[in-house]
Amino acid sequence: MALALLAGVLAALCWFVRARGRLVDRVARYVRWMRRAMLGFAVPVVVVLAVLGRIDALWVMPAEFERLRAWLPVMEPVDLMIGALAGIMIGLVVAAVRAQRGARPIGKPGALTPRNRAELPLGAAIAVVAGGTEEPFFRLILPLLVTLVTGNALAGFAVATLLFGALHRYQGWRGMVATTLFGGVMASVYLMSGALWLVVLIHALIDLNGLVVWPALSPGWLSEDRR
């Protein structure tokens, strides 16, 4: 059953990657991405957990991860959240300074990067949806199914992290390396805290930096007449 579910989850991931097309209307592009994220990531998470009878894995870390978790220091979610928020705030300051100097993010800007101020709320919506759908998929369901199939939690998180990085190939090799490292950090935070909600929150905040803060502060990036 785990192998069949894993095949289904990987098929959903492939569908998400391939289900693309050119849309002239910018709002439609944002809406389509969020719809695809819900169908490609959120729905498989709910279906898999329902089939396994383990909906509680959304708030209780699966026992299959405990052996791997023992390799890392166990930390309270609140402590990690404080540290993460401090790091994010420092990152925002650095991003603001670099943006004002006309620098670009590490990876190539994607098609969903806001091009005018009217699109900033859409960028914020993408950040929230990305955190809420990608983290349960790549930090819970995919590692869990690979672990059930292989008996190795480290393999589960390694596969999920590499696929997470590959998902961001549109950002170029630098962006892929950065997102792969980010995925590894999120996996570590999840294992140390046991709190899926924490990595969802951190992911959303970091995406808000790239999809809202950076464009908004970059001189000449946003203009009302840019298409």
Side-chain angles (χ1 to χ4, degrees):
M1 179 185 292
L3 185 59
L5 290 172
L6 177 59
V9 165
L10 292 176
L13 176 60
C14 290
W15 172 83
F16 175 87
V17 172
R18 294 180 178 275
R20 295 181 179 180
R22 294 185 177 181
L23 290 177
V24 175
D25 185 78
R26 293 283 299 175
V27 174
R29 182 176 296 177
Y30 283 97
V31 172
R32 184 183 63 182
W33 188 95
M34 288 186 279
R35 182 175 62 248
R36 283 170 42 223
M38 295 300 295
L39 293 175
F41 297 141
V43 170
V45 168
V46 174
V47 170
V48 167
L49 291 180
V51 171
L52 295 176
R54 302 180 65 171
I55 292 294
D56 64 339
L58 289 172
W59 56 87
V60 178
M61 177 176 285
E64 290 82 357
F65 298 159
E66 288 298 331
R67 182 176 297 180
L68 180 59
R69 188 184 186 188
W71 295 1
L72 299 169
V74 176
M75 299 185 67
E76 292 296 324
V78 173
D79 295 334
L80 281 170
M81 181 174 65
I82 293 174
L85 290 177
I88 290 171
M89 291 303 299
I90 294 173
L92 289 174
V93 172
V94 173
V97 172
R98 294 189 67 222
Q100 285 294 311
R101 293 177 177 177
R104 294 274 181 171
I106 295 176
K108 297 178 181 178
L112 296 175
T113 301
R115 296 186 178 184
N116 54 54
R117 298 192 182 280
E119 291 180 6
L120 288 178
L122 294 171
I126 289 289
V128 173
V129 172
T133 59
E134 292 180 7
E135 288 304 312
F137 187 92
F138 288 99
R139 250 54 78 184
L140 174 59
I141 288 302
L142 194 49
L144 177 60
L145 290 175
V146 174
T147 301
L148 292 175
V149 171
T150 65
N152 190 322
L154 180 59
F157 280 97
V159 169
T161 300
L162 290 174
L163 288 176
F164 178 73
L167 179 68
H168 296 81
R169 68 191 187 286
Y170 64 89
Q171 295 184 6
W173 72 268
R174 289 185 179 86
M176 287 180 61
V177 170
T179 52
T180 300
L181 293 175
F182 171 72
V185 171
M186 289 298 95
S188 298
V189 170
Y190 175 49
L191 288 169
M192 287 189 292
S193 67
L196 185 63
W197 64 265
L198 179 58
V199 290
V200 168
L201 176 61
I202 294 173
H203 188 143
L205 290 174
I206 290 178
D207 278 5
L208 283 170
N209 177 34
L211 292 172
V212 178
V213 176
W214 199 297
L217 296 178
S218 297
W221 192 318
L222 298 180
S223 63
E224 298 301 327
D225 57 351
R226 183 177 178 180
R227 297 292 184 265

